[in-house]
Amino acid sequence: MRGVSLGQLLLALDATLVSLVDAPRGLDLTVSSAALLDADDMRLGLAAAAGSADIFFLLGADGADTIGWLDRHGHSPAAIFVKHPGAEVIRHATQAGTAVVAVDPRARWERLYRLVDHVFDHHGDGAEHDSGTDLFGLAQSIAERTHGMVSIEDAESHVLAYSASNDEADDLRRLSILGRAGPPEHLAWIARRGIFDALRARPDPVRVAERPELGLRPRLAIGIFTATVDARRAPAFIGTIWVQQGDRPLAGDAEEVLRGAAVLAGRIMARLAATPSSDAVRVRELLGFSSETVDFEVVARELGIVADGRAAVIGFDGAVPGGRLADVLALSAGAFRADAQIASSGARAYVLFPAANRTLTSWVRSTVASLRTELGVDLRAVIAAPVPGLAGAAAARREVDRVLDSAHRHPGTLAAVTSLAEARTTVLLDEIITAVAADDRLIDPRVSALRADEPMLAHTLSVYLDSFGDVAAAAEALHVHPNTVRYRVRRIEQVLGSSLADPDVRLLLTLSLRATA
């Protein structure tokens, strides 16, 4: 994780979201990790894995909870981010050398956390803004060229990035950045004017007039569309660039700047959609999808999870509409345990629980049943638990894949929800037979000849061996008289030139028969 100075972080977040109360050790402290803590985490000590984060977002904690947590914490974090920080909290934190940052009461914590994570990824270690890879950098570049304040939103009007604000920002801009819906009367007026429809119809700049009675300043906007090389398919609307005018008029070429910016934004958003988040990359590393050496303590700290608990890895396989199996599972897994980590590979998705509990299997069965009922999706799930901490997650995931691979080769041989222990015999035997089938040298040529020349005898031999040499059981399975089975067995022994009483012969013939089935 890249590091930035505390001052750089606060500057990137903008005064719309946060304001510095006090920084006893200055703003040059390097920060590179953040953790979310709520009152229960503080009182019950559930946040041990996040204990060494550099900055903390304190959710819903009162002054007593915060002061008690600071006393027990063990080291002074670089900063705490708090809504409504009281005088006692400020005094206690600053005496310990911890900066206090006030968060706008209207800000959404999840928005702030994502933005901080974005700053770490794109601005750390002296990294410069790059309008080719960073939406925040693009927003700032547009603002400098147009002389306005810029925000970039997705198709659902969620702010993805923005330029620095000043005192001329209106309520619509401030609330959008804070993760809150804009004033209803503002949005209703914009909708009535057909502005949203115009933005979604074509990539042309649209001007929005000032409405002083609503506190709405003038704006220039343009829709963002996907690029397409297929003339038969219309570009899809994926977002909007908004430029709010302040006291200074927008640049004369602002419309042309926006046309180019919309193209760049479309490219960046497409890359972001295809690129996993830093958290997703870390989870993939834990599950062994990367060749990089993994420092489990560091990754656990970045993800805010325990490194040495009794973990569990569950692999899911199945086709979900839209191919978004991981997203569908994330909703259920996050509701079951807040520390659930999700990753995907191809058509499979994996859920990693750093500290599993006894109700895990019930959750897996319930999830598979719910998705079958609600989405008509038939999933297969394999549970690896308990796993010895994050260090065992990659090996567990590989074992899960072995079971899923076997189930894919032979549908119906395993239950829809199974564990490694329950599937071990089936999977090992399947892998042995698969290996034998892949090499003709390992198949007894007598079996191949028997299948070609005497298929009825080959079938009788297979049933007889699966019946452990029990003539009566074999006769019942074949729907023939036991004497018929005895006759065929003698005939088989003559053709093969071997006695079926020899256990080695029985093993060799069983494997060859299954490999050629």
Side-chain angles (χ1 to χ4, degrees):
M1 180 71 72
R2 292 173 164 180
V4 300
S5 71
L6 179 59
Q8 288 175 306
L9 176 63
L10 298 180
L11 186 62
L13 292 177
D14 192 63
T16 301
L17 275 171
V18 299
S19 59
L20 178 66
V21 177
D22 199 351
R25 289 187 283 170
L27 296 176
D28 293 329
L29 288 176
T30 298
V31 293
S32 61
S33 58
L36 285 160
L37 299 185
D38 61 23
D40 287 339
D41 291 333
M42 296 181 190
R43 288 193 295 267
L44 303 177
L46 303 180
S52 55
D54 296 319
I55 63 176
F56 290 87
F57 305 128
L58 307 185
L59 286 63
D62 59 24
D65 287 334
T66 302
I67 292 170
W69 174 76
L70 286 169
D71 288 339
R72 296 188 303 271
H73 188 57
H75 82 280
S76 298
I80 56 173
F81 286 62
V82 189
K83 293 183 180 180
H84 307 295
E88 282 300 306
V89 169
I90 296 171
R91 183 182 63 80
H92 212 82
T94 54
Q95 284 180 349
T98 296
V100 179
V101 180
V103 178
D104 189 294
R106 298 168 295 178
R108 301 186 70 93
W109 285 109
E110 65 271 20
R111 166 65 56 80
L112 180 59
Y113 187 85
R114 286 197 298 269
L115 291 176
V116 168
D117 193 51
H118 180 96
V119 172
F120 288 155
D121 281 345
H122 292 278
H123 301 254
D125 297 338
E128 297 293 333
H129 284 297
D130 180 358
S131 61
T133 59
D134 181 12
L135 282 176
F136 272 82
L138 176 61
Q140 193 61 41
S141 296
I142 300 169
E144 292 168 358
R145 287 291 310 277
T146 62
H147 309 156
M149 288 170 282
V150 176
S151 59
I152 301 175
E153 300 180 353
D154 64 15
E156 286 74 41
S157 299
H158 300 140
V159 175
L160 302 175
Y162 53 89
S163 65
S165 300
N166 55 39
D167 293 339
E168 299 158 11
D170 61 20
D171 281 347
L172 183 57
R173 174 179 173 82
R174 284 193 294 268
L175 291 173
S176 297
I177 291 174
L178 290 169
R180 303 290 179 178
E185 62 272 20
H186 289 195
L187 300 178
W189 179 81
I190 292 175
R192 285 197 304 271
R193 292 290 300 270
I195 293 167
F196 289 138
D197 292 338
L199 291 170
R200 287 167 169 76
R202 56 190 180 278
D204 292 326
V206 176
R207 291 193 175 269
V208 183
E210 182 177 20
R211 291 297 301 271
E213 73 279 13
L214 298 178
L216 188 67
R217 289 178 175 268
R219 275 173 168 72
L220 184 62
I222 190 169
I224 305 169
F225 292 80
T226 57
T228 178
V229 295
D230 187 347
R232 296 170 298 179
R233 297 182 60 186
F237 173 79
I238 58 175
T240 309
I241 301 175
W242 294 91
V243 183
Q244 186 216 301
Q245 178 179 319
D247 290 340
R248 182 182 183 185
L250 297 180
D253 63 348
E255 291 192 5
E256 285 305 305
V257 171
L258 276 194
R259 292 181 192 277
V263 173
L264 288 176
R267 293 175 184 169
I268 296 172
M269 291 168 70
R271 292 176 192 142
L272 291 174
T275 302
S277 68
S278 59
D279 280 4
V281 170
R282 298 294 182 268
V283 177
R284 287 180 59 82
E285 289 175 352
L286 290 177
L287 292 174
F289 288 112
S290 170
S291 59
E292 299 292 328
T293 301
V294 180
D295 187 325
F296 298 103
E297 292 293 338
V298 171
V299 173
R301 185 167 64 247
E302 291 179 0
L303 295 175
I305 59 179
V306 296
D308 54 359
R310 289 168 60 86
V313 175
I314 303 95
F316 293 85
D317 195 356
V320 170
R324 302 182 68 83
L325 176 57
D327 292 342
V328 172
L329 289 171
L331 298 174
S332 178
F336 177 64
R337 284 193 63 94
D339 58 355
Q341 308 297 316
I342 316 294
S344 61
S345 179
R348 292 178 185 170
Y350 305 86
V351 180
L352 167 62
F353 291 112
N357 58 32
R358 296 179 181 177
T359 61
L360 174 64
T361 301
S362 296
W363 171 78
V364 176
R365 294 186 187 280
S366 174
T367 298
V368 170
S370 295
L371 292 181
R372 182 184 300 116
T373 301
E374 296 169 8
L375 300 179
V377 173
D378 287 322
L379 291 184
R380 182 175 301 282
V382 178
I383 304 168
V387 174
L390 299 185
R397 191 272 306 169
R398 286 189 286 268
E399 291 299 306
V400 165
D401 275 343
R402 289 176 63 188
V403 179
L404 291 174
D405 290 342
S406 178
H408 184 71
R409 287 191 294 267
H410 304 286
T413 57
L414 292 168
V417 177
T418 188
S419 68
L420 293 184
E422 292 168 339
R424 181 172 290 111
T425 299
T426 301
V427 171
L428 285 174
L429 185 57
D430 169 55
E431 291 179 341
I432 291 169
I433 292 170
T434 300
V436 171
D439 190 341
D440 289 340
R441 297 173 304 170
L442 301 179
I443 297 174
D444 191 324
R446 297 174 299 176
V447 169
S448 299
L450 190 66
R451 283 196 179 281
D453 301 335
E454 300 280 358
M456 181 188 67
L457 292 183
H459 179 56
T460 298
L461 176 59
S462 178
V463 173
Y464 176 75
L465 292 173
D466 286 348
S467 301
F468 306 103
D470 186 326
V471 172
E476 184 177 356
L478 292 168
H479 305 292
V480 298
H481 193 278
N483 286 339
T484 302
V485 174
R486 292 187 182 96
Y487 168 77
R488 290 179 183 177
V489 168
R490 287 195 297 271
R491 176 67 181 144
I492 290 168
E493 289 180 325
Q494 291 174 354
V495 171
L496 299 179
S498 296
S499 171
L500 296 183
D502 187 329
D504 290 343
V505 171
R506 292 199 303 270
L507 175 61
L508 176 61
L509 294 177
T510 298
L511 291 175
S512 295
L513 283 164
R514 294 199 179 191
T516 56

